[in-house]
Amino acid sequence: MRVLLTGGAGFIGRHVLRELLARGHAVRVLDSLRPDVHANGETAPLDGADLLVADVRDAEAIDRALKGVEAVLHLAAKVGLGVDVSDLPDYASSNDVGAAEILAGMARAKVTHLTLASSMVVYGEGVGHCAEHGAVRPGPRIESELKQGHFEPPCPHCGKPLATALVDEDTAFDPRNAYATSKLAQEYYASNWARVTGGSVAALRYHNVYGPGMPRDTPYAGVASIFTSALKNGEAPRVFEDGRMRRDFVHVRDIAAATVTACEAHRDGVRAFNVGSGTPRTVGDMALALAQALKGPLPIVTGGYRLGDVRHITADSSRLRRELGWQPQVDFADGMKELAGI
Protein backbone atom coordinates (compact mmCIF):
# COMPACT_ATOMS: atom_id res chain seq x y z
CA MET A 1 0.00 0.00 0.00
CA ARG A 2 1.25 3.53 -0.77
CA VAL A 3 0.67 5.84 2.18
CA LEU A 4 1.18 9.49 3.05
CA LEU A 5 2.60 10.02 6.54
CA THR A 6 2.39 13.60 7.79
CA GLY A 7 4.80 14.57 10.55
CA GLY A 8 6.93 11.58 9.62
CA ALA A 9 10.19 13.32 10.59
CA GLY A 10 9.04 13.77 14.19
CA PHE A 11 9.52 11.61 17.26
CA ILE A 12 6.50 9.33 16.84
CA GLY A 13 6.50 9.77 13.06
CA ARG A 14 9.93 8.19 12.63
CA HIS A 15 8.86 5.09 14.53
CA VAL A 16 5.65 4.86 12.50
CA LEU A 17 7.74 5.21 9.33
CA ARG A 18 9.99 2.32 10.36
CA GLU A 19 6.95 0.16 11.10
CA LEU A 20 5.36 0.99 7.75
CA LEU A 21 8.54 0.15 5.85
CA ALA A 22 9.06 -3.05 7.85
CA ARG A 23 5.60 -4.18 6.75
CA GLY A 24 6.37 -3.51 3.10
CA HIS A 25 4.44 -0.29 2.54
CA ALA A 26 5.62 2.50 0.23
CA VAL A 27 5.77 5.78 2.18
CA ARG A 28 5.76 9.46 1.30
CA VAL A 29 6.44 11.82 4.22
CA LEU A 30 5.03 15.34 4.40
CA ASP A 31 6.70 17.40 7.13
CA SER A 32 7.25 21.14 7.55
CA LEU A 33 10.35 20.62 9.75
CA ARG A 34 9.06 23.43 11.96
CA PRO A 35 11.96 25.02 13.84
CA ASP A 36 10.40 24.63 17.29
CA VAL A 37 10.71 20.87 16.77
CA HIS A 38 13.59 20.54 14.28
CA ALA A 39 16.67 22.68 14.98
CA ASN A 40 17.44 24.93 12.00
CA GLY A 41 14.59 23.31 10.11
CA GLU A 42 16.70 20.21 9.47
CA THR A 43 16.19 16.50 9.96
CA ALA A 44 18.16 13.28 9.70
CA PRO A 45 17.60 11.31 6.47
CA LEU A 46 14.37 9.34 6.22
CA ASP A 47 15.83 6.24 4.59
CA GLY A 48 13.31 4.35 2.49
CA ALA A 49 10.75 7.17 2.18
CA ASP A 50 10.15 10.12 -0.10
CA LEU A 51 10.25 13.42 1.83
CA LEU A 52 8.24 16.46 0.82
CA VAL A 53 9.08 19.46 2.99
CA ALA A 54 5.92 21.53 3.18
CA ASP A 55 3.27 22.72 5.60
CA VAL A 56 0.01 20.77 6.00
CA ARG A 57 -1.80 24.07 5.50
CA ASP A 58 -0.40 24.34 1.95
CA ALA A 59 -3.16 23.00 -0.32
CA GLU A 60 -0.92 22.83 -3.39
CA ALA A 61 1.71 20.80 -1.52
CA ILE A 62 -0.99 18.50 -0.16
CA ASP A 63 -2.23 17.80 -3.67
CA ARG A 64 1.31 16.85 -4.74
CA ALA A 65 1.78 14.68 -1.67
CA LEU A 66 -1.47 12.77 -2.24
CA LYS A 67 -0.77 11.71 -5.82
CA GLY A 68 -0.95 7.93 -6.06
CA VAL A 69 -1.67 7.54 -2.33
CA GLU A 70 -4.14 4.98 -0.95
CA ALA A 71 -4.22 5.97 2.74
CA VAL A 72 -3.13 8.84 5.00
CA LEU A 73 -1.63 8.70 8.48
CA HIS A 74 -1.97 12.22 9.88
CA LEU A 75 0.49 12.82 12.73
CA ALA A 76 1.65 16.37 11.99
CA ALA A 77 0.65 18.74 14.81
CA LYS A 78 1.77 21.41 17.20
CA VAL A 79 2.07 19.57 20.50
CA GLY A 80 2.54 20.52 24.15
CA LEU A 81 -0.14 21.85 26.49
CA GLY A 82 -0.48 25.42 25.35
CA VAL A 83 0.33 27.31 28.53
CA ASP A 84 -0.58 30.82 27.44
CA VAL A 85 -3.55 32.37 25.68
CA SER A 86 -1.15 33.70 23.05
CA ASP A 87 -0.58 30.05 21.98
CA LEU A 88 -4.19 29.62 20.87
CA PRO A 89 -3.85 30.94 17.30
CA ASP A 90 -0.91 28.64 16.51
CA TYR A 91 -2.75 25.56 17.80
CA ALA A 92 -5.87 26.48 15.86
CA SER A 93 -3.92 27.16 12.69
CA SER A 94 -1.41 24.30 12.82
CA ASN A 95 -3.79 21.61 14.06
CA ASP A 96 -7.34 22.61 13.17
CA VAL A 97 -6.64 24.24 9.81
CA GLY A 98 -3.91 21.71 9.04
CA ALA A 99 -6.29 18.77 9.51
CA ALA A 100 -9.01 20.52 7.51
CA GLU A 101 -6.62 21.08 4.59
CA ILE A 102 -5.49 17.44 4.65
CA LEU A 103 -9.10 16.27 4.62
CA ALA A 104 -10.06 18.64 1.80
CA GLY A 105 -7.08 17.38 -0.19
CA MET A 106 -8.08 13.76 0.45
CA ALA A 107 -11.55 14.53 -0.88
CA ARG A 108 -10.06 16.05 -4.05
CA ALA A 109 -7.75 13.06 -4.51
CA LYS A 110 -10.47 10.56 -3.59
CA VAL A 111 -8.32 9.02 -0.86
CA THR A 112 -10.76 7.41 1.56
CA HIS A 113 -8.72 5.95 4.43
CA LEU A 114 -7.45 8.09 7.31
CA THR A 115 -5.56 7.15 10.46
CA LEU A 116 -5.49 10.14 12.80
CA ALA A 117 -3.12 10.66 15.71
CA SER A 118 -5.38 11.95 18.46
CA SER A 119 -4.68 12.05 22.19
CA MET A 120 -5.97 11.05 25.60
CA VAL A 121 -6.07 14.79 26.44
CA VAL A 122 -9.51 14.99 24.82
CA TYR A 123 -10.89 13.36 28.00
CA GLY A 124 -9.52 15.98 30.41
CA GLU A 125 -9.72 14.52 33.91
CA GLY A 126 -11.57 11.49 32.59
CA VAL A 127 -13.75 9.84 35.21
CA GLY A 128 -13.47 9.09 38.90
CA HIS A 129 -15.42 6.78 41.18
CA CYS A 130 -17.26 8.13 44.21
CA ALA A 131 -18.35 5.65 46.87
CA GLU A 132 -21.72 7.42 47.07
CA HIS A 133 -22.34 8.73 43.55
CA GLY A 134 -20.55 6.16 41.39
CA ALA A 135 -18.80 7.24 38.20
CA VAL A 136 -18.48 11.03 38.06
CA ARG A 137 -16.48 13.60 36.14
CA PRO A 138 -14.10 15.54 38.39
CA GLY A 139 -14.77 19.25 38.42
CA PRO A 140 -12.37 21.91 37.10
CA ARG A 141 -9.10 22.30 38.98
CA ILE A 142 -9.16 25.38 41.19
CA GLU A 143 -5.91 27.29 41.49
CA SER A 144 -6.50 28.35 45.10
CA GLU A 145 -6.77 24.66 46.05
CA LEU A 146 -3.66 23.72 44.07
CA LYS A 147 -1.69 26.45 45.82
CA GLN A 148 -2.56 24.84 49.14
CA GLY A 149 -1.38 21.43 47.92
CA HIS A 150 -4.87 20.02 47.49
CA PHE A 151 -4.26 18.18 44.25
CA GLU A 152 -6.87 15.43 44.25
CA PRO A 153 -10.10 16.50 42.55
CA PRO A 154 -13.07 15.71 44.83
CA CYS A 155 -16.50 14.41 43.90
CA PRO A 156 -18.37 17.40 42.48
CA HIS A 157 -21.52 16.31 44.35
CA CYS A 158 -20.36 15.52 47.88
CA GLY A 159 -16.73 16.68 47.99
CA LYS A 160 -15.44 13.27 49.06
CA PRO A 161 -12.24 11.77 47.55
CA LEU A 162 -12.54 9.94 44.25
CA ALA A 163 -11.00 6.62 43.28
CA THR A 164 -9.36 6.63 39.85
CA ALA A 165 -10.95 4.74 36.97
CA LEU A 166 -9.91 3.77 33.46
CA VAL A 167 -11.35 5.82 30.61
CA ASP A 168 -12.84 4.05 27.62
CA GLU A 169 -13.60 5.57 24.24
CA ASP A 170 -17.17 6.46 25.24
CA THR A 171 -16.00 8.73 28.06
CA ALA A 172 -17.33 12.27 27.57
CA PHE A 173 -14.92 14.83 26.14
CA ASP A 174 -13.52 17.53 28.42
CA PRO A 175 -10.53 19.25 26.73
CA ARG A 176 -8.76 21.47 29.25
CA ASN A 177 -5.98 23.11 27.24
CA ALA A 178 -5.29 24.41 23.74
CA TYR A 179 -3.70 21.20 22.49
CA ALA A 180 -6.59 19.09 23.76
CA THR A 181 -9.14 21.35 22.10
CA SER A 182 -7.29 21.19 18.79
CA LYS A 183 -7.06 17.37 18.86
CA LEU A 184 -10.78 17.11 19.55
CA ALA A 185 -11.44 19.49 16.66
CA GLN A 186 -9.38 17.24 14.40
CA GLU A 187 -11.56 14.26 15.33
CA TYR A 188 -14.72 16.23 14.56
CA TYR A 189 -13.37 17.45 11.21
CA ALA A 190 -12.43 13.88 10.32
CA SER A 191 -15.94 12.68 11.21
CA ASN A 192 -17.44 15.43 9.03
CA TRP A 193 -15.20 14.35 6.14
CA ALA A 194 -16.07 10.67 6.55
CA ARG A 195 -19.79 11.39 6.60
CA VAL A 196 -19.60 13.29 3.30
CA THR A 197 -17.10 11.09 1.46
CA GLY A 198 -17.87 7.65 2.87
CA GLY A 199 -14.27 7.44 4.06
CA SER A 200 -12.97 5.57 7.10
CA VAL A 201 -11.29 7.11 10.14
CA ALA A 202 -9.31 5.41 12.90
CA ALA A 203 -8.68 8.04 15.60
CA LEU A 204 -5.92 6.77 17.87
CA ARG A 205 -5.97 8.43 21.27
CA TYR A 206 -2.35 8.06 22.31
CA HIS A 207 -1.64 8.05 26.03
CA ASN A 208 1.74 9.10 27.47
CA VAL A 209 4.28 8.14 24.82
CA TYR A 210 7.95 7.63 25.65
CA GLY A 211 10.96 6.00 24.04
CA PRO A 212 14.12 6.57 22.02
CA GLY A 213 14.21 9.72 19.95
CA MET A 214 12.09 11.78 22.34
CA PRO A 215 12.82 15.51 22.03
CA ARG A 216 14.79 16.94 24.93
CA ASP A 217 15.05 20.45 26.31
CA THR A 218 12.28 21.78 24.09
CA PRO A 219 8.73 22.95 24.90
CA TYR A 220 7.53 19.66 23.41
CA ALA A 221 9.59 17.28 25.51
CA GLY A 222 7.50 14.77 27.41
CA VAL A 223 7.96 14.28 31.13
CA ALA A 224 10.10 11.19 30.61
CA SER A 225 12.47 13.13 28.40
CA ILE A 226 12.63 16.04 30.83
CA PHE A 227 13.50 13.69 33.70
CA THR A 228 16.13 11.87 31.64
CA SER A 229 17.74 15.10 30.51
CA ALA A 230 17.99 16.35 34.11
CA LEU A 231 19.51 13.08 35.34
CA LYS A 232 22.10 13.02 32.57
CA ASN A 233 23.10 16.52 33.68
CA GLY A 234 23.58 15.23 37.23
CA GLU A 235 20.41 16.88 38.47
CA ALA A 236 17.49 15.37 40.36
CA PRO A 237 14.28 15.08 38.34
CA ARG A 238 11.75 17.59 39.65
CA VAL A 239 8.26 16.16 39.95
CA PHE A 240 5.19 18.39 40.07
CA GLU A 241 2.44 18.20 42.67
CA ASP A 242 2.99 15.24 45.01
CA GLY A 243 4.20 12.88 42.29
CA ARG A 244 1.09 10.71 42.52
CA MET A 245 -0.49 11.73 39.22
CA ARG A 246 -1.53 8.54 37.43
CA ARG A 247 -0.75 8.03 33.76
CA ASP A 248 -0.51 5.22 31.23
CA PHE A 249 3.04 5.29 29.85
CA VAL A 250 3.21 3.48 26.50
CA HIS A 251 6.35 2.84 24.48
CA VAL A 252 6.65 4.54 21.11
CA ARG A 253 7.24 1.24 19.28
CA ASP A 254 3.93 -0.03 20.64
CA ILE A 255 2.33 3.24 19.49
CA ALA A 256 3.82 2.76 16.02
CA ALA A 257 2.57 -0.82 15.78
CA ALA A 258 -0.92 0.24 16.83
CA THR A 259 -0.96 3.08 14.31
CA VAL A 260 0.09 0.94 11.36
CA THR A 261 -2.23 -1.88 12.40
CA ALA A 262 -5.14 0.58 12.43
CA CYS A 263 -4.14 1.86 8.99
CA GLU A 264 -4.14 -1.67 7.62
CA ALA A 265 -7.15 -3.09 9.40
CA HIS A 266 -9.74 -0.36 9.97
CA ARG A 267 -11.60 0.35 6.74
CA ASP A 268 -15.20 1.05 7.72
CA GLY A 269 -16.70 4.15 9.35
CA VAL A 270 -15.31 6.25 12.20
CA ARG A 271 -13.81 4.51 15.21
CA ALA A 272 -11.76 5.82 18.15
CA PHE A 273 -9.15 3.66 19.87
CA ASN A 274 -7.29 4.32 23.10
CA VAL A 275 -3.62 3.34 22.86
CA GLY A 276 -2.07 2.65 26.24
CA SER A 277 -0.07 -0.02 28.01
CA GLY A 278 -2.99 -1.01 30.21
CA THR A 279 -0.90 -0.60 33.39
CA PRO A 280 -1.32 2.76 35.19
CA ARG A 281 1.70 4.22 36.95
CA THR A 282 2.44 7.50 38.66
CA VAL A 283 4.70 10.23 37.36
CA GLY A 284 6.73 9.68 40.53
CA ASP A 285 7.14 6.01 39.59
CA MET A 286 8.63 7.01 36.26
CA ALA A 287 10.99 9.55 37.81
CA LEU A 288 12.21 6.98 40.34
CA ALA A 289 12.66 4.26 37.69
CA LEU A 290 14.79 6.59 35.57
CA ALA A 291 16.82 7.79 38.57
CA GLN A 292 17.59 4.21 39.54
CA ALA A 293 18.43 3.20 35.97
CA LEU A 294 20.84 6.12 35.60
CA LYS A 295 22.13 5.84 39.19
CA GLY A 296 21.34 9.50 39.62
CA PRO A 297 19.88 11.62 42.43
CA LEU A 298 16.43 10.67 43.67
CA PRO A 299 13.47 12.71 42.44
CA ILE A 300 12.47 15.90 44.20
CA VAL A 301 8.74 16.42 44.65
CA THR A 302 8.22 20.16 44.23
CA GLY A 303 4.54 20.77 44.88
CA GLY A 304 4.49 22.89 41.74
CA TYR A 305 1.66 22.58 39.26
CA ARG A 306 0.31 23.67 35.89
CA LEU A 307 -3.35 24.61 35.81
CA GLY A 308 -3.79 23.00 32.35
CA ASP A 309 -2.55 19.60 33.55
CA VAL A 310 -4.90 16.83 34.60
CA ARG A 311 -4.50 14.87 37.80
CA HIS A 312 -5.20 11.34 36.60
CA ILE A 313 -5.83 9.90 33.15
CA THR A 314 -5.40 6.20 32.43
CA ALA A 315 -6.59 4.16 29.49
CA ASP A 316 -8.83 1.24 28.83
CA SER A 317 -7.29 -0.01 25.58
CA SER A 318 -9.35 -3.18 25.34
CA ARG A 319 -11.18 -2.05 22.18
CA LEU A 320 -7.92 -1.85 20.24
CA ARG A 321 -6.84 -5.25 21.51
CA ARG A 322 -10.20 -6.86 20.85
CA GLU A 323 -11.04 -5.38 17.44
CA LEU A 324 -7.62 -5.01 15.81
CA GLY A 325 -5.60 -7.66 17.65
CA TRP A 326 -2.94 -5.23 18.92
CA GLN A 327 -0.99 -5.97 22.08
CA PRO A 328 1.72 -3.84 23.74
CA GLN A 329 5.08 -5.57 23.67
CA VAL A 330 7.52 -3.35 25.60
CA ASP A 331 7.75 -3.88 29.35
CA PHE A 332 7.86 -0.66 31.40
CA ALA A 333 11.10 -1.53 33.21
CA ASP A 334 12.80 -2.46 29.94
CA GLY A 335 11.51 0.71 28.32
CA MET A 336 12.89 2.85 31.14
CA LYS A 337 16.32 1.22 30.79
CA GLU A 338 16.28 1.81 27.05
CA LEU A 339 15.26 5.44 27.56
CA ALA A 340 18.10 5.83 30.02
CA GLY A 341 20.49 4.45 27.42
CA ILE A 342 21.44 1.35 29.38
Side-chain angles (χ1 to χ4, degrees):
M1 181 167 54
R2 185 161 187 82
V3 302
L4 174 64
L5 172 62
T6 73
F11 162 49
I12 296 176
R14 284 181 171 273
H15 287 272
V16 172
L17 172 60
R18 291 189 193 101
E19 186 72 16
L20 284 165
L21 294 173
R23 298 193 191 190
H25 299 295
V27 186
R28 180 177 297 139
V29 169
L30 175 66
D31 200 301
S32 66
L33 304 184
R34 53 185 297 157
D36 51 2
V37 178
H38 301 272
N40 303 315
E42 298 176 352
T43 187
L46 301 178
D47 294 335
D50 299 327
L51 172 62
L52 175 59
V53 179
D55 196 291
V56 290
R57 292 164 290 189
D58 183 338
E60 184 179 338
I62 289 170
D63 287 342
R64 294 199 309 272
L66 285 168
K67 287 183 178 178
V69 162
E70 300 167 78
V72 173
L73 294 86
H74 183 42
L75 275 64
K78 176 180 172 68
V79 297
L81 283 178
V83 295
D84 192 274
V85 173
S86 63
D87 293 327
L88 292 174
D90 195 10
Y91 279 99
S93 179
S94 298
N95 297 357
D96 298 19
V97 176
E101 290 286 5
I102 286 287
L103 292 165
M106 290 177 69
R108 290 191 297 271
K110 295 182 170 49
V111 178
T112 57
H113 302 301
L114 174 68
T115 304
L116 175 67
S118 187
S119 172
M120 52 86 177
V121 294
V122 300
Y123 300 120
E125 289 282 353
V127 293
H129 184 81
C130 173
E132 182 177 349
H133 295 98
V136 299
R137 176 173 295 285
R141 304 190 87 188
I142 300 171
E143 189 155 19
S144 60
E145 291 293 309
L146 297 174
K147 284 181 177 178
Q148 296 179 59
H150 301 156
F151 301 121
E152 290 288 351
C155 173
H157 305 296
C158 64
K160 294 179 181 176
L162 294 174
T164 56
L166 299 180
V167 295
D168 64 21
E169 292 85 354
D170 295 324
T171 301
F173 298 130
D174 185 22
R176 297 194 175 194
N177 56 61
Y179 176 61
T181 300
S182 70
K183 297 310 288 185
L184 182 54
Q186 288 185 331
E187 289 200 30
Y188 280 133
Y189 283 127
S191 294
N192 299 155
W193 165 84
R195 189 175 301 115
V196 172
T197 65
S200 66
V201 179
L204 299 184
R205 295 173 183 163
Y206 299 158
H207 281 247
N208 292 80
V209 187
Y210 74 95
M214 288 188 73
R216 295 184 180 178
D217 303 316
T218 78
Y220 305 103
V223 65
S225 183
I226 292 170
F227 291 162
T228 303
S229 183
L231 285 160
K232 289 189 173 180
N233 288 328
E235 303 167 1
R238 299 177 65 83
V239 183
F240 279 4
E241 301 183 19
D242 57 5
R244 296 175 185 169
M245 305 82 77
R246 287 164 62 88
R247 298 289 187 268
D248 189 324
F249 297 107
V250 55
H251 196 279
V252 67
R253 286 197 296 275
D254 286 332
I255 287 283
T259 303
V260 177
T261 296
C263 178
E264 294 172 335
H266 179 77
R267 292 303 177 98
D268 184 27
V270 179
R271 196 70 162 155
F273 298 95
N274 285 336
V275 191
S277 71
T279 306
R281 290 182 172 85
T282 70
V283 175
D285 289 339
M286 170 173 272
L288 180 60
L290 287 168
Q292 291 173 336
L294 286 165
K295 297 180 171 54
L298 293 178
I300 296 172
V301 177
T302 68
Y305 61 87
R306 295 184 297 185
L307 191 59
D309 277 339
V310 299
R311 177 64 176 174
H312 305 295
I313 186 73
T314 50
D316 177 352
S317 299
S318 59
R319 175 184 290 181
L320 181 60
R321 300 177 190 220
R322 182 177 64 253
E323 295 185 8
L324 300 186
W326 171 85
Q327 291 283 346
Q329 301 296 319
V330 182
D331 175 75
F332 179 75
D334 293 339
M336 290 295 100
K337 291 177 181 177
E338 181 186 26
L339 188 63
I342 296 174

